[in-house]
Amino acid sequence: MGDPVANYTSRLQQQEGEVMLLQDEIESLRDPQELNFTSSQLDELREENSRLKYRIDILKRSLQEEMSQNDKAMLNINQHLQQIFGDAINTAYPGIENPPLTVTPNQQAKFGDYQCNSAMAMAQMMKAKGQKVSPREIAEKIVQYIPNNELIERTEIAGPGFINVHLKRTFVSKLLSNLLVNGVKPPSLKKKKKVVVDFSSPNIAKEMHVGHLRSTIIGDSMCRLFEFLGYEVLRLNHVGDWGTQFGMLIAHLQDKFPNYLSVSPPIGDLQSFYKESKKRFDEDEEFKRRAYQCVVKLQSKEPDFIKAWNLICDVSRKEFQKVYNCLDICIEERGESYYQDMMTAVIKEFEEKGLVQLDEGRKIVFAPGQSIPLTIVKSDGGYTYDTSDLAAIKNRLFDEKADIIIYVTDSGQAMHFQVVFAAAQLIGWYDPKVIRVEHAGFGVVLGEDKKKFKTRSGDTVRLMDLLEEGLKRSMDKLKEKGRDKVLTPEELVKAQRAVAFGCIKYADLSHNRINDYVFSFDKMLDDRGNTAAYLLYAFTRIRSIARLANIQVVSLRTAAETTEVLLDHEKEWKLGKCILRFPEILQKITDDLLLHTLCDYLYELATTFTEFYDSCYCVEKDRQTGEVVKVNMWRMLLCEATAAVMAKGFDILGINPVERM
Ligand code: ARG
């Protein structure tokens, strides 16, 4: 492994040299005395000149980018190739604005390692402008303009105009060594950005249901992704803690536990407490009247009422926390009540800007392009879910100064968020070109019968019951595999939790969140196929290879610095490239927030590793004694690199692997 600084310096020098050469060339073209050309030659030269100027700009830009790049970061090969192809296309066809740029990794080795498919789309674009050029011709011209670079060994044109790219082995090997020495480092951020993720967000006094479980798992993983990438992440639990239902809950509390101000009431089951008070509310006029009074008093913040409200919230909070503890979720509670005082100002702002209409006593706001309005004040003067979300988004934009805001709820709320975002843009709070505000919706959870997820008796499933069943099933599975005979009791419990919670999370994350999702313990605990159980086993196995061969951590560290990662065997090459696709995957999931791509990738990595391990000996043992006779260190390094990337992937998914299972 060369010295990275020297490496980097020599690359800079090379690029600087290139810039100088081009500048000289332009200068000489500018000097008319020296030249004696016909006008058509002059035209050509002018064209060449502008092309070269363009090229200089590109080189300058990439020089700058290189300089700002943290050279410890993993390189995104795909992005790098896109840059090279983009530059080549722009130089070859300066007339085409925003040329289509697609570079994809190749699954079949015979087509090379990556492929650029731009020529076909460009031919279409040119045809539309009346120029008939065959895609093959375009591909040939693009290839001519690819400058010498450290990444590409050679290209070839296939079929109608695919450009197949063969990567340089030495380069791939160098990247793997970098990874081993520096660890799995994210690309450096140009500017520290702030992300608000609004997720989980159950409602006080109501059960936290499977929809909230999905939001919790998906939202947490998004936070982990942004945290890994170096963003400042604010994890917000937008709990429903301020509805009119609190009036009836407080009125009922006053009756059932009159001394609630001095003694904490033992409301064990807030669900039934809620049901009882709802029943009274619907049946008893007097109670209903008192409940409304309670709402008013709560909203004017009378201390006794705030106390009652807090008591009720605490009961729920403790329940929620149990779930968060199991799933290792960190989240800051900032419920609807937090925005209470900001709502009045928000309504005023909309009114002052003339954006409010009256509709049968309600105050509503129509945002452009939206068929349904937001209700910002109800006819009884109360505020709504819409009002609190407007106040919340304003707070996140102006006080939290978020660059990205993500809301994770079921897709049923898509319309609500669409209208809230449109209204926030209407009033001028943000420009979607500058600030990314997104609703990351997801489908509903179904039972194995493909119907809404329910218990056998038709009730909603309590999340703690679900998590406990997960634990039980995971223990059964471990015992079935005889792990209880091999592991210590502590190890067994650790494995049980890792498998149970890992599987529940992974099952959710590995499906495209947009789709409905079938919850099945049998499927998620299966250790074949794309499941956490499989990946956890694969990971522990990889981790154990060095240990079982008695290779010390320090030897691996030294080897990372001194041993070249050879990639001559077809399976070594395949694995090496797969490991290095991690940054590309991170980029994709940051752009579309579809985390299943990461799961698919980890599964592919694990299976690619198995292929490698089955055909390449990492350690060679004596057949009789089983003693290690030879360690193929570069292959041990491939094991290490695989494990390092898998571990980061698990981190992002919120899955905790264990040492032994
Ligand atoms: N409490 C809501 C529910 O259970 C979800 C809140 C989502 N966040 C938001 N800012 N509206 O459906």
Side-chain angles (χ1 to χ4, degrees):
M1 192 45 241
D3 170 10
V5 175
N7 235 326
Y8 168 63
T9 317
S10 92
R11 274 174 64 196
L12 277 185
Q13 276 165 351
Q14 196 188 330
Q15 294 201 318
E16 249 158 349
E18 234 178 294
V19 170
M20 301 255 268
L21 273 179
L22 290 169
Q23 240 154 2
D24 283 346
E25 224 168 306
I26 288 183
E27 275 316 310
S28 73
L29 286 171
R30 271 208 192 112
D31 191 356
Q33 271 89 44
E34 298 241 327
L35 307 164
N36 198 358
F37 292 123
T38 65
S39 77
S40 85
Q41 275 175 312
L42 261 179
D43 280 346
E44 251 174 59
L45 282 172
R46 281 208 189 95
E47 202 191 308
E48 185 64 19
N49 187 3
S50 69
R51 211 176 274 177
L52 287 171
K53 268 196 190 149
Y54 189 81
R55 186 86 205 116
I56 284 194
D57 284 340
I58 289 171
L59 283 171
K60 278 194 187 143
R61 201 185 60 208
S62 86
L63 232 160
Q64 234 153 26
E65 261 167 36
E66 294 261 324
M67 295 209 278
S68 64
Q69 263 278 329
N70 153 12
D71 58 2
K72 294 214 158 133
M74 275 183 89
L75 180 99
N76 182 336
I77 294 181
N78 194 333
Q79 201 176 42
H80 209 57
L81 286 173
Q82 286 196 30
Q83 233 160 39
I84 293 173
F85 274 99
D87 292 352
I89 292 171
N90 284 324
T91 324
Y93 294 95
I96 298 192
E97 257 178 67
N98 295 326
L101 191 57
T102 41
V103 175
T104 46
N106 268 343
Q107 294 305 330
Q108 277 171 287
K110 63 175 179 203
F111 297 133
D113 306 312
Y114 277 83
Q115 193 171 64
C116 169
N117 301 343
S118 297
M120 278 72 71
M122 283 173 67
Q124 292 288 333
M125 280 175 82
M126 287 159 83
K127 194 172 161 200
K129 284 202 233 154
Q131 287 169 273
K132 262 196 100 147
V133 196
S134 82
R136 248 196 115 87
E137 224 173 289
I138 298 177
E140 265 151 25
K141 192 157 171 193
I142 295 174
V143 165
Q144 273 170 23
Y145 279 89
I146 294 178
N148 264 341
N149 63 79
E150 50 178 3
L151 191 60
I152 301 177
E153 171 78 39
R154 66 195 162 85
T155 54
E156 77 217 350
I157 297 165
F162 298 107
I163 305 172
N164 295 339
V165 177
H166 296 263
L167 298 175
K168 278 191 186 144
R169 269 167 218 255
T170 46
F171 186 72
V172 171
S173 162
K174 194 181 88 185
L175 290 183
L176 288 165
S177 297
N178 278 350
L179 182 158
L180 287 158
V181 172
N182 301 322
V184 184
K185 294 268 154 50
S188 55
L189 286 177
K190 296 210 174 61
K191 168 183 167 272
K192 180 111 185 160
K193 285 193 177 177
K194 183 159 180 180
V195 194
V196 170
V197 184
D198 173 321
F199 70 109
S200 195
S201 309
N203 301 313
I204 300 286
K206 297 187 189 162
E207 197 70 72
M208 187 173 181
H209 55 70
V210 277
H212 296 123
L213 179 66
R214 277 207 97 177
S215 173
T216 307
I217 291 171
I218 296 171
D220 176 56
S221 182
M222 287 177 185
C223 294
R224 288 166 180 271
L225 169 67
F226 283 106
E227 280 153 1
F228 173 65
L229 295 174
Y231 289 72
E232 180 185 348
V233 179
L234 182 59
R235 302 158 155 259
L236 290 186
N237 203 357
H238 193 85
V239 294
D241 62 357
W242 202 250
T244 31
Q245 82 264 28
F246 280 97
M248 89 197 177
L249 283 165
I250 294 172
H252 191 52
L253 178 78
Q254 290 173 330
D255 294 345
K256 274 201 95 173
F257 305 105
N259 58 348
Y260 72 90
L261 285 173
S262 45
V263 186
S264 241
I267 322 173
D269 189 348
L270 202 46
Q271 279 286 314
S272 8
F273 191 82
Y274 181 87
K275 278 189 197 141
E276 285 160 28
S277 58
K278 178 89 173 87
K279 188 158 182 286
R280 289 182 73 190
F281 185 85
D282 291 338
E283 289 168 2
D284 179 349
E285 274 307 311
E286 164 58 22
F287 181 81
K288 194 172 186 167
R289 208 179 43 77
R290 201 152 56 80
Y292 277 125
Q293 282 170 356
C294 288
V295 178
V296 176
K297 287 187 176 146
L298 174 65
Q299 293 192 337
S300 56
K301 304 221 168 73
E302 275 191 35
D304 287 0
F305 288 79
I306 291 288
K307 166 108 197 198
W309 170 73
N310 263 323
L311 284 170
I312 293 165
C313 290
D314 272 342
V315 181
S316 279
R317 221 168 259 146
K318 285 201 189 98
E319 279 306 303
F320 301 158
Q321 196 54 44
K322 281 187 201 155
V323 174
Y324 298 146
N325 287 347
C326 278
L327 299 178
D328 191 16
I329 307 290
C330 277
I331 191 164
E332 185 177 319
E333 184 181 319
R334 219 183 252 186
E336 291 170 23
S337 66
Y338 179 88
Y339 304 97
Q340 193 58 22
D341 296 337
M342 304 171 205
M343 292 192 221
T344 319
V346 161
I347 292 157
K348 201 162 150 234
E349 190 175 340
F350 272 92
E351 280 177 326
E352 278 168 5
K353 298 216 164 125
L355 301 170
V356 177
Q357 294 176 26
L358 278 173
D359 176 62
E360 295 176 9
R362 300 183 302 150
K363 290 185 181 170
I364 59 172
V365 174
F366 271 103
Q370 307 300 321
S371 51
I372 51 163
L374 291 172
T375 299
I376 59 171
V377 183
K378 290 190 291 184
S379 50
D380 66 4
Y383 301 157
T384 70
Y385 190 50
D386 294 349
T387 331
S388 58
D389 260 325
L390 284 174
I393 197 172
K394 183 169 188 203
N395 173 258
R396 290 162 190 183
L397 289 165
F398 290 91
D399 301 327
E400 294 302 340
K401 301 192 170 44
D403 300 286
I404 304 178
I405 309 177
I406 300 166
Y407 297 79
V408 190
T409 76
D410 63 284
S411 303
Q413 298 198 35
M415 186 57 102
H416 164 74
F417 287 110
Q418 198 178 307
V419 190
V420 169
F421 301 163
Q425 287 167 46
L426 170 71
I427 199 162
W429 287 344
Y430 79 96
D431 175 355
K433 287 196 213 75
V434 183
I435 310 273
R436 177 175 175 192
V437 180
E438 225 173 289
H439 172 231
F442 53 79
V444 291
V445 183
L446 306 173
E448 280 176 279
D449 55 1
K450 305 270 158 64
K451 294 206 185 95
K452 222 175 154 208
F453 194 69
K454 286 261 157 72
T455 61
R456 257 183 223 147
S457 56
D459 291 332
T460 47
V461 180
R462 299 192 53 217
L463 286 196
M464 272 322 286
D465 294 348
L466 189 81
L467 296 178
E468 259 144 35
E469 183 174 350
L471 281 173
K472 191 188 148 295
R473 296 240 201 169
S474 121
M475 185 55 94
D476 292 348
K477 195 88 193 178
L478 286 162
K479 287 189 175 154
E480 196 183 296
K481 292 170 76 98
R483 303 313 292 161
D484 51 332
K485 305 209 174 59
V486 185
L487 302 176
T488 66
E490 293 81 46
E491 283 174 336
L492 189 65
V493 170
K494 272 194 183 167
Q496 176 195 22
R497 294 179 69 87
V499 171
F501 304 139
C503 285
I504 292 175
K505 287 185 182 186
Y506 192 85
D508 200 327
L509 295 168
S510 60
H511 290 90
N512 185 328
R513 65 173 156 80
I514 311 289
N515 302 334
D516 290 350
Y517 144 66
V518 178
F519 192 98
S520 155
F521 274 123
D522 288 334
K523 284 224 181 71
M524 63 179 76
L525 289 167
D526 193 344
D527 50 23
R528 293 153 306 173
N530 188 4
T531 64
Y534 169 77
L535 287 178
L536 284 167
Y537 279 116
F539 181 74
T540 4
R541 212 188 47 203
I542 301 173
R543 272 277 139 98
S544 68
I545 298 170
R547 197 182 56 229
L548 294 176
N550 273 325
I551 305 172
Q552 304 301 317
V553 178
V554 278
S555 337
L556 289 166
R557 288 251 96 214
T558 321
E561 312 248 2
T562 54
T563 307
E564 186 187 349
V565 184
L566 299 175
L567 299 163
D568 297 328
H569 193 287
E570 169 208 353
K571 299 295 179 189
E572 291 169 345
W573 180 236
K574 189 172 172 192
L575 178 61
K577 284 185 300 174
C578 188
I579 294 170
L580 294 176
R581 265 178 49 223
F582 189 54
E584 177 181 327
I585 303 297
L586 291 182
Q587 183 62 54
K588 183 162 188 310
I589 60 177
T590 312
D591 292 342
D592 61 18
L593 302 176
L594 293 171
L595 295 155
H596 69 276
T597 309
L598 175 58
C599 300
D600 290 347
Y601 166 74
L602 290 176
Y603 182 58
E604 190 187 326
L605 183 59
T607 50
T608 308
F609 179 84
T610 306
E611 277 178 41
F612 153 81
Y613 195 68
D614 287 348
S615 24
C616 302
Y617 287 116
C618 294
V619 279
E620 293 174 29
K621 290 181 186 161
D622 185 287
R623 282 191 183 222
Q624 253 97 59
T625 62
E627 208 180 309
V628 176
V629 289
K630 187 165 166 242
V631 175
N632 293 325
M633 204 39 121
W634 80 95
R635 288 185 177 154
M636 290 309 306
L637 292 178
L638 278 169
C639 299
E640 288 298 296
T642 307
V645 165
M646 278 185 93
K648 271 294 173 248
F650 284 159
D651 261 0
I652 292 173
L653 298 173
I655 291 174
N656 292 317
V658 281
E659 188 80 9
R660 275 159 60 78
M661 61 183 281

